[in-house]
Every structure is written in structure tokens, then in C-alpha cells.
Amino acid sequence: MKEIKKALFINFGGIGDEILFLPALQSFKLKYPNAEITLALEPRSKSIKNLSNLIDNTILIDIKNKNKYFELLKLILNARKGQYDIVISSGGNKMIAVLLFLTGIKIRVGFDTGLLSQKLLSIPVPLIKNQYAAKMYHSLVKPLTQDEAQYPKIEINPEITEKEPNTIVIHPGVSKMSVSKNMVKTYSPNKWTELIKKLLNNGKKIYLAGGPDDEEYISAISKNFQNNNENFVNYYGKTKNIMDLARLIASKEALICCDSAPMHIGVGVGTKVLAIFGPTDENKLIPNSKNIISITNKNCNCRPCLWEKRSTTCENPYCLNIDTDEFLKYL
């Protein structure tokens, strides 16, 4: 393949999806080190640029907007003006191939979703959903490079070389979108409180962190630790942006969270991660690694169900009835 000077990548989703997409960018950049990379993504995920130096430019496309077809037209026009050598897009929608064709970019790479993709894409890539999502995304660049990037890599600046001993970041991982859509994936505040007390009794120092969406949870948890325990640090509000959160997680020995963006950050910075998995499938969202551990209710036979069999959490999520002692086995 001729030298690629400008590449357009398209990946819609939350910040977690963008972190999972990083290995594809890593391998592509290794093969084409001089290529300028532009990433088209949703506005809610634009902070990914702060976590990686692989992305030169971004195009913000609000496909959740009621005027999503105008937004897609904006993407097509930007792509046509950009003089890109190649476009690579994730997504299993059959119309992705049409979108890429309309960009006029000569080399078009996307998932093989049927006849349209086989006709309109230069390189249709088999779509295998039943695997770690980062590996699935990485398959898009496999025809271009033989590199095997297995994990997303988040660049911490300045680099953190030592971790504070016996420290754990707790991040409840509540998002307004998940609450509004009834997609419950985390412990209740009472369960988080129970877990933190056990960890403190085991001599661990706890940093309780969260974003704006976690405020109610953080308040409900932290009120139980107002006795000035020096081993409990309410870190809420001290992480001003996603890089601050990444630095915090990178500087501690472990992160305890749920299936959420902080979990993917933990993977990306190389910190030990213990993640609660209730209704979602850990096999698609975390890599196979001794350092990344899924905490599940092993007696629940109906999980995973969210996004597999249903689009909301059931009324009685037995899958989240996980004994907090399960965490102590790995710390």
C-alpha cells in the first residue's frame, strides 16, 4: 500500500469506547509513523485527546442529536475536504459502508455487514462481536499492519513511576445516561460503604473519587466516614478532568469500580483493576489479564443480559448481589 499521509478514523460511543479504540490507533501509527490521524467522534468523548498523543485532530459529530442526519452530512463534507488517503470506521450498522463511500476517500475500511459493505468498502473486515472490544476494533487495522496491540495505552504526563503502597481508588461509576436509561451496573451506596469499611480494617488507604454524575453516591458514602480517618480520603472534586483521574488511578496500587470509563482508564494506565460486572459481559469489556479481575455473582445464571438480551436492567438485578468479601481475595 502506498504511503498514507492523512487518515480519518470514525468511532462513535462514550469515552470508554474511545479508550477501547486506542489499540487500533497505536498499531496504525506504528505502521505509518508520519501519518496525521483525525478521529471523528461524539462531543461527549472529546476528552480522549487528552489521554493519547496519537490523535492529531478531532471532528465532533453529535449523532445523538435530533438533527443526526445533518451531523452525518457535516462529517461527509469534512471528510471530502480533508483530502484523506484512508478512512477506517467501526460500527456494525449496514449503512456505515454507504457513509464511507459518500466521503469519496479512496481506501475505505469497515466491518463486513453484508452485500453493501462488500461492494462499497475497499477492505471489508469480518465482524466478530464475541471478543474483547479492543481486539474487535483492532481487527480493522489488521489488514494494514501485523502489530498485535492487545491493550489501550494511556500516556500519563508527567509519567508516574511509583505507586503509593496499600492504596485503592474507589470509583462508583454512576452516569446520568445509565440512570436515565435504567442501566444499573454498580453497587448501592450502602454496599460501597460496607466494602470500604472492610478495606480500611485490612489496612488499606482509600481514595474515593468520582465525576459530577457520582455526586449523590459520593455524598451518601462519605457521610459514613466523617470521623477524620486518615486512611479515608474523599477525593471528589479534586480530579478536574479526565487526565487528573488517570493520574490518580496510575499512582495507586488498585482501582475498584464497575463496568465504566474509569475501568478502561485503569487498564490503560496499568493499575490493578477489580471491576464489578453485573448485567454486562466482562469477556467483551476487559482483557484476559491477571491484573484485571472481574467480580461477579457466580450463582447468577441469567447474566450477562444487558445488551445481550435486553436494553435495560431488570427490576431485581440479582447479578449485582455480590458479597463484598469477594474483593478481599485479590488484595
Side-chain angles (χ1 to χ4, degrees), residues 278-280 302-314 319:
T280 53
C302 60
R303 66 166 303 274
C305 66
L306 190 58
W307 305 322
E308 305 290 330
K309 304 168 188 174
R310 53 190 300 128
S311 57
T312 60
T313 306
C314 63
C319 58

Side-chain angles (χ1 to χ4, degrees), residues 68-121:
K68 69 175 182 178
Y69 295 111
F70 173 79
E71 292 288 308
L72 291 173
L73 177 61
K74 182 173 75 174
L75 173 58
I76 292 168
L77 294 176
N78 272 279
R80 283 185 167 274
K81 284 191 277 185
Q83 297 183 320
Y84 298 103
D85 300 302
I86 188 170
V87 57
I88 300 173
S89 177
S90 67
N93 191 301
K94 293 182 178 181
M95 297 308 292
I96 291 289
V98 176
L99 175 69
L100 299 195
F101 181 76
L102 291 174
T103 66
I105 299 171
K106 186 174 181 181
I107 305 171
R108 302 177 297 278
V109 184
F111 287 123
D112 185 348
T113 54
L115 188 60
L116 269 178
S117 60
Q118 292 162 16
K119 293 289 185 182
L120 300 179
L121 296 179

Side-chain angles (χ1 to χ4, degrees), residues 279-302:
T280 53
D281 189 349
E282 63 273 25
N283 295 313
K284 295 181 180 180
L285 294 164
I286 56 174
N288 183 13
S289 168
K290 292 180 181 178
N291 211 37
I292 317 297
I293 301 158
S294 60
I295 308 296
T296 64
N297 182 344
K298 296 177 176 60
N299 297 318
C300 181
N301 298 319
C302 60

Side-chain angles (χ1 to χ4, degrees), residues 59-72:
I59 301 172
L60 303 183
I61 304 298
D62 190 0
I63 60 167
K64 297 290 192 299
N65 190 302
K66 61 181 180 180
N67 298 317
K68 69 175 182 178
Y69 295 111
F70 173 79
E71 292 288 308
L72 291 173

Side-chain angles (χ1 to χ4, degrees), residues 41-250:
L41 72 170
E42 295 181 50
R44 61 185 172 129
S45 305
K46 63 183 180 181
S47 58
I48 188 63
K49 199 171 185 298
N50 298 325
L51 296 179
S52 175
N53 61 14
L54 296 168
I55 305 162
D56 297 295
N57 310 294
T58 57
I59 301 172
L60 303 183
I61 304 298
D62 190 0
I63 60 167
K64 297 290 192 299
N65 190 302
K66 61 181 180 180
N67 298 317
K68 69 175 182 178
Y69 295 111
F70 173 79
E71 292 288 308
L72 291 173
L73 177 61
K74 182 173 75 174
L75 173 58
I76 292 168
L77 294 176
N78 272 279
R80 283 185 167 274
K81 284 191 277 185
Q83 297 183 320
Y84 298 103
D85 300 302
I86 188 170
V87 57
I88 300 173
S89 177
S90 67
N93 191 301
K94 293 182 178 181
M95 297 308 292
I96 291 289
V98 176
L99 175 69
L100 299 195
F101 181 76
L102 291 174
T103 66
I105 299 171
K106 186 174 181 181
I107 305 171
R108 302 177 297 278
V109 184
F111 287 123
D112 185 348
T113 54
L115 188 60
L116 269 178
S117 60
Q118 292 162 16
K119 293 289 185 182
L120 300 179
L121 296 179
S122 310
I123 306 176
V125 176
L127 174 56
I128 303 172
K129 293 183 177 181
N130 193 27
Q131 61 178 325
Y132 178 39
K135 188 175 181 180
M136 179 185 74
Y137 291 144
H138 188 270
S139 67
L140 289 164
V141 300
K142 198 71 184 291
L144 308 171
T145 172
Q146 295 305 308
D147 184 50
E148 290 283 353
Q150 296 295 323
Y151 312 105
K153 182 181 179 182
I154 292 174
E155 293 123 12
I156 301 296
N157 186 21
E159 184 180 358
I160 293 171
T161 56
E162 294 185 7
K163 295 184 181 294
E164 185 183 353
N166 290 316
T167 54
I168 299 173
V169 176
I170 298 283
H171 197 297
V174 184
S175 75
K176 289 180 181 177
M177 181 176 289
S178 64
V179 171
S180 66
K181 292 187 175 182
N182 189 28
M183 296 186 296
V184 181
K185 299 183 289 181
T186 190
Y187 268 166
S188 68
N190 287 340
K191 289 285 280 187
W192 280 117
T193 299
E194 177 187 318
L195 173 59
I196 291 170
K197 286 180 177 178
K198 288 180 179 180
L199 294 170
L200 290 171
N201 287 337
N202 278 19
K204 302 297 182 183
K205 186 172 183 177
I206 304 301
Y207 289 80
L208 180 63
D213 290 356
D214 297 287
E215 183 176 10
E216 186 176 336
Y217 262 55
I218 296 290
S219 177
I221 295 167
S222 61
K223 71 180 182 181
N224 297 292
F225 302 95
Q226 294 180 347
N227 58 349
N228 297 319
N229 187 328
E230 63 180 13
N231 284 328
F232 176 84
V233 181
N234 185 353
Y235 216 77
Y236 181 75
K238 296 181 181 180
T239 52
K240 302 299 183 183
N241 51 54
I242 197 166
M243 179 52 79
D244 281 352
L245 178 60
R247 288 194 192 101
L248 173 68
I249 294 171

